[in-house]
Every structure is written in C-alpha cells, then in structure tokens.
Amino acid sequence: MRRLLSGVVLLAALASTARGQDLAPVIEGAGDDPRVSVSQPETTSQASGGYVRSIQPYLGPFGDPLGIRPVLKEKGIEYSLTYIADVLGNPVGGVRQGAIAEDRLNLRLNLDLQKIAGWDGATIHANAYFIHGTGLSRYYVGNLMTTSVIEALPSTRLYVLWFDQKLMDGKLGLRIGQQAADTEFFVSQTATLFVNSTFGWPAITGLNLPSGGPAYPLSAPAVRAKYVPGNGFSLQVGIYDGDSAGANRPGDDPEAQLLDRNGTNFRIHDPALIVAEATYAYNTDKDAKGLPGDITLGGWQHFGRFDSLRFASNGLPLADPNASGINKQLRGNAGIYAIWDQTLYREAGKDDEGLGFFVRAAYSPTRSSLIDAYVDTGLAYKGLIEGRDDDTIGVSLAHARISDDARRADADMIAYTGIPMPRRRGETVIEATYQALVVPGFTVQPDVQYVMHPGGGITNPRYPELGRVKNAAVLGMRATIQY
C-alpha cells in the first residue's frame, strides 16, 4: 500500500516537470452514450465512466519505454490502466471513529477483431481489478450507501470479459459474456464525479438484489442488446444470471465477495435478472440551439425467490417466539427508475465546461425489497475557477427509504421482546467534492460527506447502550491516475 501511494507522489513530481501533447479525449459520455453533460469529470472511479486522457505524455521516457503502445494499437490491441487511491476517515459519528487507506488498480484490454482478423464490427473487452485496503463503511461508519465506490474486500479479480458484435451499420450491438449492469444501466453522466458508491449503482438495486446485483466488484454471465435507431433514441436490455456469487442460496456464506473470490464463478443456473431501459438524448449535435440533456426510463425484474423481511415460513412474524425460524419465501423482485441529465449552462465557446444537473428516482414495490424508494440529485460545474478549466466541483444528495415490511419487522421485534429499540426509516447522504486536474489523466479530489441515520437508523452494533448509530461526517482525499 505504501509503495502504491509513493507511486502517486512520484508521478506527480514527474508530471509537474514533464512536457508533452495531450491525448485526444473520447467524445462518448459515461455508459457509452452520447455526451450530454458538460460537467462530466476528467476521471471517475465509476464503472460506467469512459477512459478519457492518459498521463503517458507527461512521463517522458517512462511513458512507453519500449514504444509498444502505438504498435499494438495499430494491430488492434489497446490496453490502459487506472489507479485510484483513497484516504478516508470519520472523525464524527458512525459505529466508531477511524481512518482507512484503500486503492484499486484497473487493467483494461480491448481487442479490435477487424484489425486483428478482418472480422467487421467485432470487439473483445476484458477488465480486471487489483483491490487493496480497508473499507470505511464496512468497519467504521456502518452505512448502507458505501462511502467510496472502490470499497471492496482485498482481491485480484476478473470484472468483465465479453464479446461485442455491431450489426445494421452499427445501430444494433449484441454483447455476450461476463458483464456488469452498472457499466451501462442506471447511469447519470453528471453523477460520475462523486465518490459515494450510490451515485453509480444506486442503493435500491445494490441492497435489494442477490450479491448486490451484477455490479462492482461482481459481475455475471449475460447477454445484452442495444439498439440505436437515431434521432437521439436508444433502447437496451440485458439478461443476467441473477446471482453473481450465490449469496442468495440457503446455507452459503452470505458474503458474496468471498463466495466469488476471483470473479470466475461464471454462474449460469440461477433465476434470471432482466434490466431494460429507453433513453432519449436531445440537443447533442454541434449546431443544436438548446442545451443537451437526456431522459431515461428503465426497470428490472428478478425471477428468483427471496426471504421475507417480516414473516416466517409458518406465517408468524419472525420476532414471534413460535415462529419457525425460517423465512417465508417470496417470488421475485422488481422496480422502475427514471433519470434526467441536463446541462443547465455552457461556457461560451466551450463544449465541455459549464453547469450540469442530474436527478434519479426509483421505486421497488415488491415485498422482498429492503429499500422501496430511492432518489438522488446533484449539481456539478466544470471550469468554474478562472484558469482551472478542467477542474470539476459538485454537490449531491441521496436518500434511500427503508421498506414498510422492514420497518414493521422492527416494530414486531419491539412488541414481542418488550425491549425499546430504534425503528429503521431511511438513510441520507450529502456529498461535496472538488476534482482538481494536475495534468491530463491525473487528478486529486478532496471530498466531504455527511451521512444521516447510518444503516437506516439502526442501534449501534458495537455499543448498544449508545442507541442509534450517530450521524457521521466523512472527510477524504482521492488521487486518480489514468495511463
């Protein structure tokens, strides 16, 4: 860990003295959609974010010592690395106070089969993670909406490995292999700035679906189809194995990341999860008179069985001493969601500076859902400070509401035991962050979060005599390097 953090300092020193030409940024937005947010950041830890610019030109002779990158690219082979290091602490609130360091190295490989084998429209993509460190949410804060999107148990794991075929002049894309839904579904481009994990794969899916759903750090075998007929419309649907690690099976260790330690379980026999969405992007042409934005409507359906949050198999409340002790089985989990990403202001003569806004809302009425309603929103401005055109500042808020069945289960426990205890209601997080560009491909990002009612308002598991887990203030710093 110390060696990796020392590497950040070394790269900063090299970058501050080196000179070179910037690599051209990609024009796509997060989620491989047309870019509609002028405040999409230079770097992001979210799986949906695109690789933008590389620090390579600023490393001088260390950038590509053997000169192989352009040779491989010409032959259809491209690789990139992204290193992210977080230092986070909660001086106030949470289950207990403390500080952690965590980091993640991401290795991507893209194979263009047109250049390699003359196979038109075909690509292969692989992505692997090398994860280290300790999670602040897991060991200190005790909140539902994880404070950092890179937080995970230490591991070396395959994330995705898929084959993609473009058809109908590129309008239809078919993808098969190990995939993650958070790379393409439920994505807000403006929200990719933020550090808290819920602004990527939101808590309503991450907490309701088995193993957290096919999202970082896990994925699942899947087939995805995406159709882009033009005029700003796109439709996509993915069919995933419904349990990436098997955490929903009785008797197994419920820790999904330990059940699939290296991302190579490749489960294909679990009940399916279907995710689908439709997006309309407007004012994306260069000569458009209005400001760009998009509207997305989507939903999910899981066809498996889930434990009831309140009732036992014999129909009695789980808190009742006469209950069987085995949860009643419920069929399926489903939800709907909507997203609005909108550029509110664009700097004159600029296409990537200005103010962006996002809001996402979701509802899951099925009785197997821990979270039945969710909303997040935020603002981000890129280029607010004169002379700092590539810096991005933002503020956001997210709220996850505990479902009625879970809240009634808490009331049952109070009634049957006679012991006064908190009833969960919901969790809210507010985040403010500033991403500063050192050189293209290298950013530092101070971050502040305030977590209200961690865990939804649970009793402190370490110190029950203190009552509810106290609201937590989280302070942190992130460094991100793209190569």
Side-chain angles (χ1 to χ4, degrees), residues 6-327:
S6 299
V8 174
V9 176
L10 175 61
L11 284 170
L14 288 168
S16 64
T17 58
R19 294 291 182 269
Q21 299 297 318
D22 296 356
L23 296 184
V26 296
I27 59 173
E28 293 84 3
D32 289 331
D33 289 323
R35 182 167 181 171
V36 299
S37 174
V38 293
S39 51
Q40 187 171 296
E42 170 76 14
T43 64
T44 179
S45 56
Q46 293 184 19
S48 62
Y51 178 83
V52 184
R53 291 184 286 188
S54 173
I55 197 174
Q56 178 186 331
Y58 292 84
L59 301 180
F62 299 102
D64 187 14
L66 302 178
I68 62 173
R69 293 192 91 183
V71 176
L72 291 175
K73 184 176 182 179
E74 182 67 24
K75 295 181 179 296
I77 303 170
E78 292 187 80
Y79 69 91
S80 63
L81 297 96
T82 300
Y83 174 70
I84 304 170
D86 284 345
V87 177
L88 298 167
N90 62 315
V92 176
V95 174
R96 57 177 177 149
Q97 287 73 57
I100 61 94
E102 60 189 354
D103 62 84
R104 184 184 81 191
L105 179 65
N106 181 11
L107 171 61
R108 302 182 190 88
L109 177 66
N110 289 296
L111 304 179
D112 184 341
L113 298 187
Q114 169 63 43
K115 294 181 178 179
I116 295 174
W119 189 339
D120 188 40
T123 56
I124 293 175
H125 175 80
N127 197 335
Y129 287 132
F130 306 87
I131 305 166
H132 309 88
T134 302
L136 189 72
S137 287
R138 178 183 289 266
Y139 297 107
Y140 292 96
V141 181
N143 56 327
L144 300 173
M145 294 182 280
T146 309
T147 53
S148 171
V149 74
I150 73 168
E151 180 174 323
L153 294 178
S155 63
T156 297
R157 61 173 57 248
L158 175 71
Y159 185 46
V160 298
L161 174 62
W162 45 255
F163 168 83
D164 188 275
Q165 176 67 61
K166 294 292 191 297
L167 302 168
M168 300 172 59
D169 295 326
K171 292 181 178 180
L172 177 63
L174 299 178
R175 183 172 295 178
I176 185 170
Q178 184 89 341
Q179 302 181 54
D182 60 340
T183 62
E184 298 182 286
F185 293 91
F186 225 143
V187 174
S188 162
Q189 295 178 17
T190 304
T192 57
L193 169 68
F194 298 99
V195 172
N196 191 288
S197 67
T198 199
F199 296 108
W201 187 241
I204 194 168
T205 44
L207 294 171
N208 289 351
L209 295 174
S211 301
Y216 176 83
L218 301 171
S219 55
V223 176
R224 190 274 284 152
K226 185 171 184 177
Y227 180 56
V228 186
N231 297 320
F233 289 96
S234 65
L235 303 168
Q236 61 179 348
V237 58
I239 304 176
Y240 301 81
D241 180 271
D243 192 351
S244 305
N248 210 38
R249 296 178 61 185
D252 279 341
D253 183 336
E255 177 51 68
Q257 295 178 54
L258 296 180
L259 291 173
D260 188 7
R261 293 176 180 272
N262 302 113
T264 54
N265 280 9
F266 304 127
R267 299 175 63 88
I268 58 174
H269 298 298
D270 301 292
L273 166 69
I274 296 178
V275 188
E277 67 177 35
T279 300
Y280 173 60
Y282 48 89
N283 296 331
T284 57
D285 296 332
K286 289 186 177 181
D287 57 352
K289 295 182 180 179
L291 295 172
D294 66 21
I295 296 173
T296 298
L297 298 177
W300 72 92
Q301 173 67 60
H302 194 293
F303 294 94
R305 290 185 176 273
F306 293 76
D307 289 343
S308 171
L309 301 173
R310 187 185 180 194
F311 292 103
S313 59
N314 61 355
L316 297 175
L318 291 165
D320 190 324
N322 297 312
S324 66
I326 301 173
N327 296 71

Side-chain angles (χ1 to χ4, degrees), residues 144-145 370-373 398-403 407 410 423-429 451-458 468-469 471:
L144 300 173
M145 294 182 280
L370 175 64
I371 305 298
D372 64 3
H399 176 74
R401 180 185 183 275
I402 301 295
S403 67
R407 296 164 70 181
D410 292 347
R423 289 179 59 189
R424 294 169 293 173
R425 294 187 179 276
E427 180 179 291
T428 302
V429 62
V451 182
M452 292 179 276
H453 309 301
I458 60 171
R468 293 182 188 269
V469 177
N471 294 349

